[in-house]
Amino acid sequence: MTTQKKQIRLGAFLMQTGHHIAGWRHPGAQADAGVNFGHYAALAQKAEAAKFDAVFLADGVAVRSDNDQALARIARSDQFEPLTLLSALAAVTQRIGLIATASTSYHEPYNLARKFASLDQISGGRAGWNLVTSATTAEALNFNRSAQDAHGDRYRRAAEFHDVVVGLWDSWEDDAFVRDKESGIYLDPGKLHALHHQGAHFQVRGPLNVARSPQGRPVVVQAGASDEGRELAARTAEVIFVAHQTLEEGQRFYRSIKSRVQHYGRHPDDVKIMPGIFPVVGRTQAEAEAKFEQLQSLIDPVVGLSLLAGIAGELDLSAYPLDGPLPELPPTEGPQSRQRLLVDLARRDGLSIRQLYLKIAGARGHQQIVGTPQTIADQLQQWFEEGAADGFNIMGPWFPGGLDDFIELVLPELRRRGLFRTEYEGRTLREHLGLQRPEHPQALRRLQAPRKIAA
């Protein structure tokens, strides 16, 4: 009996014109990508032909810059709403997973549960929800608020929000809808389970008016790495997208999460950890470095400083010398794990403000690899085999060329090493990721109930 070698999971992280902040200025970039459906359709189809597990879309519900000079130079202000976009992409793809970000801060559980359940049905079981909490005042101002909630409050709301959504997804057992024309019975009311939730943040009766999908329910993804984020992920997440700079950081996070999930009665394999990777690929090292320097040369200092605004809070970094050290930053109610990561990076490597924004202009704190297919594959293999990752979220520097380079140059090397599939083994996102299909809680109780022995 042979055992198949464990393989890397890969997501294609699609961000408008590309992940590099100046990627839209690259000669090969699609400048209007954010509102060009044909562009997204072509990328999703390429990723599917390459057998990626999923495409992933980030989201925010505001134009996040108050600096008009920076706003004028960044291609991040016009973008499709991700669930709408993924529903359209479901119609032009067949197998690849479809993961969208939606915030617990500015949705209601019922509406969000219904939208993702619908996407899961439309796509035949390929949907995933990236659960986030919104962290910017710009977003709060669009939702009848004057400021964002405190960090701990956001996560307490998120934890209850998750439980309500999953409960709604379990409104119907798998075989509840009989649809028998001859008998006239459309559904079995005994397999309907209203939620009747009453909690600190939500009161939701249910049931959801969407049936269970082929994968049971959408995959839950999470991206927080603060203490609250890790605890929520350990209890709820099935995939974690995370940013790490070193192998050691990745290994510590990996061990922490895999240990924590067991405290909630889960198996370590129930959650897949997929760090973001920003690859700049060349057939030679010199070619890769030239590609990267071309992108770096396109960064305006105003844009570079805007990248650091999210971690600086109320502190105006433009008042400090660009080539001087990063000053002490006040605590933030924004993304705390990202602030800690970037401050640690600046201190560890002795980076000036300019060097720090240049360092993160592509990967925004994720791991950046500039090299040949072999050197990039070496690092992915090391992180995968030495306990820092189950897979990776690939962040193309510019689109479509950055994704094309990874598919054309790096994937053949990973396949040569037996680390990535040549064909899909299943049809649902859960099957691609090696995640179990969740049994309906009521059906599971019936299976586990002790059998009565006849007298």
Side-chain angles (χ1 to χ4, degrees), residues 4 33-34 65 118 170 172 232 239 327 357 385 388 392 416 423 453:
Q4 185 178 6
S65 178
S118 297
D170 286 335
W172 303 92
L232 180 62
V239 177
Y357 76 60
E385 293 183 345
F392 304 93
R416 186 184 68 77
E423 293 294 338
I453 301 174

Side-chain angles (χ1 to χ4, degrees), residues 22 31 53 58 75 120-121 131 157 164 169-170 173 203 243 256 285 301 308 327 330 339 350 377-378 380 389 397:
D53 293 79
D120 214 25
Q121 287 284 3
L131 183 163
R157 174 186 167 95
V164 175
W169 284 339
D170 286 335
E173 295 184 41
Q203 295 184 35
S256 171
Q285 186 65 31
L308 302 179
Q339 183 191 61
D378 284 346
L380 300 187

Side-chain angles (χ1 to χ4, degrees), residues 141-293:
L141 294 173
N142 288 337
F143 290 88
N144 201 34
R145 303 184 190 186
S146 58
Q148 61 182 323
D149 291 337
H151 188 271
D153 292 339
R154 295 200 306 271
Y155 272 95
R156 283 186 285 274
R157 174 186 167 95
E160 185 180 342
F161 194 112
H162 165 272
D163 294 346
V164 175
V165 168
V166 172
L168 289 169
W169 284 339
D170 286 335
S171 293
W172 303 92
E173 295 184 41
D174 292 309
D175 55 352
F177 289 89
V178 181
R179 301 187 183 98
D180 187 329
K181 292 182 179 180
E182 185 173 342
S183 68
I185 300 299
Y186 190 81
L187 62 86
D188 181 351
K191 296 188 177 181
L192 162 64
H193 306 281
L195 185 60
H196 298 295
H197 174 86
Q198 291 192 346
H201 298 90
F202 305 107
Q203 295 184 35
V204 181
R205 188 190 70 170
L208 193 66
N209 56 349
V210 183
R212 275 194 132 212
S213 85
Q215 66 171 350
R217 54 179 180 244
V219 172
V220 176
V221 182
Q222 219 227 317
S226 64
D227 287 340
E228 292 92 341
R230 292 186 191 205
E231 204 59 34
L232 180 62
R235 184 172 73 85
T236 68
E238 296 168 290
V239 177
I240 301 176
F241 292 151
V242 68
H244 294 303
Q245 283 293 309
T246 68
L247 174 66
E248 292 73 21
E249 289 173 3
Q251 289 171 325
R252 285 196 298 272
F253 181 85
Y254 191 96
R255 289 193 299 268
S256 171
I257 292 294
K258 298 288 185 172
S259 173
R260 290 188 193 208
V261 299
Q262 296 177 76
H263 297 159
Y264 292 100
R266 305 174 67 199
H267 191 278
D269 287 342
D270 290 344
V271 58
K272 308 299 180 184
I273 298 174
M274 298 176 65
I277 296 291
F278 176 91
V280 183
V281 193
R283 288 176 173 80
T284 65
Q285 186 65 31
E287 180 185 327
E289 291 173 1
K291 286 182 178 181
F292 183 61
E293 288 308 315

Side-chain angles (χ1 to χ4, degrees), residues 20-27 278 280 289-299 361 397-398:
H20 194 281
I21 195 66
W24 73 274
R25 300 180 66 190
H26 188 282
F278 176 91
V280 183
E289 291 173 1
K291 286 182 178 181
F292 183 61
E293 288 308 315
Q294 179 186 19
L295 288 166
Q296 295 290 83
S297 71
L298 300 174
I299 302 171
W398 75 95

